[in-house]
């Protein structure tokens, strides 16, 4: 079987999951230099930010690394939905003394465009990964021209077949246990989502390309189990959140280190798309899923000032605490140590 270590020319078949908002080049470099595949999430970065982080990676490692993008459709603004959402949040604005008329609209997430490929082509990242489907075929062709390998997340067998038909080099099977956004793109129905053990096995059977298991894998035994199911590698996110190289906020770190981390749920409150995080006040009171949240990524803007004010008071009531169902692997150890430990039983 081809492992992802063979596919990417690296030592260990471990991908550090790209995690927008909680990491930059530093975590990616640490994992790549330890022999895994470090990842740089670009969803929340400006073009200048992407360039800066890629320079930092190229200056700090000669090993393979991955850059990651979201492939969502940019939604048309919907003032009616927006005002319904703000009305639902009104009691919180009143409680925290925020004037709703000062709350800015819209919050962007970078999408993958021809300009992005122009920027990337100066750095020729060895691997490019996508969440929420794939960009246009001509953009993928340009990545392939510099030898870039293409990965994308699938959350169902249908999505895996769809990705294989478009020629991806490997498929990330993202099980329901995974922290952060569900990569789902052929359906909005959360009941279609499958746990990691079932999903990996089904996708391995359905496609011929290598499959990378993701979701709830946090130690060497979990990695060995995923490989026994036929995975060619493993993508681990949550377990890296307490590493010193991650930029995880103090509030998120405190939640991860507490019993609260044992209770996560899928919520659309923070961005408009389903994502898994530690259950907190706004998830309990308005959700975790609600029809009121505007389309991705627009839901986030109205929560921004609530989050900022609550966090300044040391409270996580309005913060997205993206975390998978298995936070047991979260420890304050270096990313290199964790990367090596993940493969020590295989
Ligand atoms: C804090 C956090 C942020 C995430 N951000 C991204 C992202 O920007 N892009 C992406 O493709 N996946 C993202 N994910 C999902 C991961 O790629 C992966 O599916 C998940 O971390 C695997 O499950 P685990 O967290 O249980 O290890 C994120 C996950 C977490 C926990």
């Amino acid at each position: 079987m081809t492992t992802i270590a063979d596919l990417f020319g690296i030592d260990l078949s471990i991908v550090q999951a790209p995690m927008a908002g909680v990491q930059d080049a530093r975590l990616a470099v640490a994992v790549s230099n330890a022999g895994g595949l470090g990842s740089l999430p670009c969803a929340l970065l400006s073009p200048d930010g992407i360039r800066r982080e890629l320079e930092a990676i190229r200056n700090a490692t000669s090993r393979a690394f991955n850059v990651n993008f979201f492939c969502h459709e940019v939604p048309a603004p919907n003032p009616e939905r927006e005002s319904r959402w703000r009305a639902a949040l009104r009691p919180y604005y009143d409680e925290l003394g925020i004037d709703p008329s000062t709350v800015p609209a819209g919050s962007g997430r970078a999408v993958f465009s021809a300009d992005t490929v122009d920027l990337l082509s100066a750095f020729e990242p060895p691997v490019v990964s996508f969440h929420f489907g794939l960009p246009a075929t001509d953009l993928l062709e340009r990545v392939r021209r510099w030898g870039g390998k293409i990965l994308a997340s699938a959350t169902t067998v249908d999505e895996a077949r769809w990705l294989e038909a478009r020629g991806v080099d490997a498929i990330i099977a993202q099980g329901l246990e995974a922290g952060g956004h569900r990569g789902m793109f052929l359906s909005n129905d959360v009941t279609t989502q499958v746990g990691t053990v079932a999903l990996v096995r089904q996708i391995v059977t359905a496609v011929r390309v290598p499959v990378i298991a993701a979701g709830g894998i946090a130690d060497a035994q979990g990695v060995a189990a995923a490989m026994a199911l036929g995975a060619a590698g493993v993508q681990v996110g949550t377990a890296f959140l307490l590493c010193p190289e991650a930029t995880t906020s103090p509030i998120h770190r405190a939640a991860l280190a507490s019993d609260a981390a044992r209770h996560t749920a899928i919520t659309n409150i923070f961005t408009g798309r389903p994502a898994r995080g530690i259950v907190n006040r706004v998830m309990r009171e308005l959700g975790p899923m609600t029809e009121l949240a505007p389309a991705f990524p627009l839901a986030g803007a109205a929560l921004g000032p609530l989050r900022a004010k609550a966090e300044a008071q040391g409270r996580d009531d309005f913060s997205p605490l993206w975390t998978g169902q298995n936070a047991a692997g979260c420890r304050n150890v270096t990313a290199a140590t964790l990367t090596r430990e993940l493969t020590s039983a295989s």
Side-chain angles (χ1 to χ4, degrees):
M1 186 186 71
T2 310
T3 63
I4 58 164
D6 304 328
L7 186 66
F8 304 139
I10 57 178
D11 298 337
L12 308 171
S13 290
I14 300 288
V15 182
Q16 165 252 315
M19 296 187 286
V22 299
Q23 64 146 128
D24 54 22
R26 209 171 142 224
L27 183 65
V29 165
V31 173
S32 286
N33 280 339
L37 188 74
S39 299
L40 176 72
C42 296
L44 294 171
L45 296 178
S46 65
D48 279 346
I50 295 174
R51 194 174 296 111
R52 205 175 40 243
E53 295 301 318
L54 285 172
E55 279 165 3
I57 293 177
R58 279 296 191 203
N59 286 335
T61 187
S62 53
R63 312 265 185 122
F65 63 94
N66 167 40
V67 289
N68 169 261
F69 294 87
F70 285 175
C71 287
H72 59 288
E73 308 248 312
V74 177
N78 182 332
E80 202 184 305
R81 246 178 121 180
E82 189 64 36
S83 68
R84 262 192 295 145
W85 184 224
R86 282 163 192 248
L89 298 175
R90 181 73 200 228
Y92 300 124
Y93 293 137
D94 291 346
E95 180 187 318
L96 291 177
I98 293 165
D99 174 359
S101 67
T102 62
V103 176
S107 98
R109 289 286 190 291
V111 287
F112 195 80
S113 66
D115 289 343
T116 321
V117 186
D118 289 345
L119 195 167
L120 292 184
S121 60
F123 298 92
E124 303 193 340
V127 185
V128 182
S129 76
F130 298 100
H131 215 45
F132 314 140
L134 287 173
T137 315
D138 59 318
L139 299 181
L140 293 179
E141 270 314 309
R142 289 186 57 199
V143 172
R144 287 196 183 96
R145 247 176 264 154
W146 71 68
K149 298 267 191 293
I150 292 164
L151 306 183
S153 303
T155 66
T156 61
V157 170
D158 285 349
E159 288 176 352
R161 289 206 173 103
W162 189 97
L163 293 171
E164 181 182 42
R166 282 154 187 81
V168 299
D169 294 285
I171 290 171
I172 302 155
Q174 191 199 29
L176 191 51
E177 295 93 322
H181 283 94
R182 306 292 314 140
M184 56 201 297
F185 59 93
L186 291 183
S187 164
N188 297 325
D189 180 355
V190 178
T191 65
T192 61
Q193 301 295 281
V194 181
T196 304
V197 169
L199 184 69
V200 168
R201 198 66 204 144
Q202 288 172 28
I203 292 182
V204 163
T205 312
V207 302
R208 301 171 76 92
V209 289
V211 175
I212 300 169
I217 301 167
D219 56 22
Q221 286 74 12
V223 172
M227 302 303 268
L229 292 171
V234 166
Q235 176 162 295
V236 175
T238 297
F240 284 99
L241 288 172
L242 288 186
C243 292
E245 296 92 341
T247 60
T248 315
S249 70
I251 268 187
H252 197 169
R253 283 180 192 265
L256 284 162
S258 77
D259 286 348
R262 293 207 206 113
H263 187 195
T264 65
I266 305 260
T267 181
N268 66 346
I269 283 179
F270 298 105
T271 64
R273 259 186 187 268
R276 183 176 294 282
I278 296 172
V279 174
N280 63 356
R281 180 180 171 199
V282 71
M283 283 166 72
R284 259 192 305 271
E285 292 180 355
L286 292 186
M289 295 292 288
T290 174
E291 297 280 304
L292 291 170
F296 181 89
L298 301 176
L303 281 164
L306 292 168
R307 173 184 177 179
K309 199 132 191 197
E311 285 191 4
Q313 298 169 4
R315 286 158 45 198
D316 65 12
D317 295 355
F318 303 98
S319 308
L321 303 167
W322 302 142
T323 301
Q325 280 183 329
N326 190 359
C330 293
R331 283 175 303 135
N332 184 3
V333 294
T334 66
T337 301
L338 178 58
T339 303
R340 285 192 287 265
E341 282 181 5
L342 284 167
T343 50
S344 61
S346 51

